[in-house]
Amino acid sequence: QGVYHRFIVCASALDALKAAQVLFDNECYEWVIVPAYSAIYQAGNAILIKELGKECRDHFCLLISLLKAKKIY
């Protein structure tokens, strides 16, 4: 899992964020949460890949890993 994989994860996070923005702009508020959460999840994994060279497939694991790495408080 090198730089290329981190790039793909970052690109995925940005795509999800753009999708959330489109839904928000079109007042589809009930659907904004799905791509917005995906963007947060993918961005968190990009941080872990950069800092630790690992990513989490489990959402709770990601949260704990980011807390342990002191990337969120």
Side-chain angles (χ1 to χ4, degrees):
Q1 294 191 359
V3 174
Y4 180 73
H5 183 67
R6 189 172 74 228
F7 172 77
I8 295 298
V9 174
C10 285
S12 179
L14 288 173
D15 287 345
L17 190 58
K18 289 176 190 173
Q21 185 66 55
V22 168
L23 289 166
F24 183 82
D25 292 345
N26 286 291
E27 299 180 6
C28 297
Y29 304 119
E30 67 275 12
W31 293 107
V32 172
I33 191 70
V34 175
Y37 183 82
S38 179
I40 293 167
Y41 177 73
Q42 295 295 338
N45 263 319
I47 291 168
L48 281 188
I49 292 168
K50 180 182 180 214
E51 298 295 321
L52 305 175
K54 299 176 182 178
E55 77 178 296
C56 291
R57 302 271 181 206
D58 178 88
H59 298 239
F60 185 70
C61 171
L62 177 62
L63 175 62
I64 298 303
S65 297
L66 289 168
L67 286 167
K68 282 183 141 183
K70 298 188 189 292
K71 297 300 169 185
I72 60 173
Y73 304 96

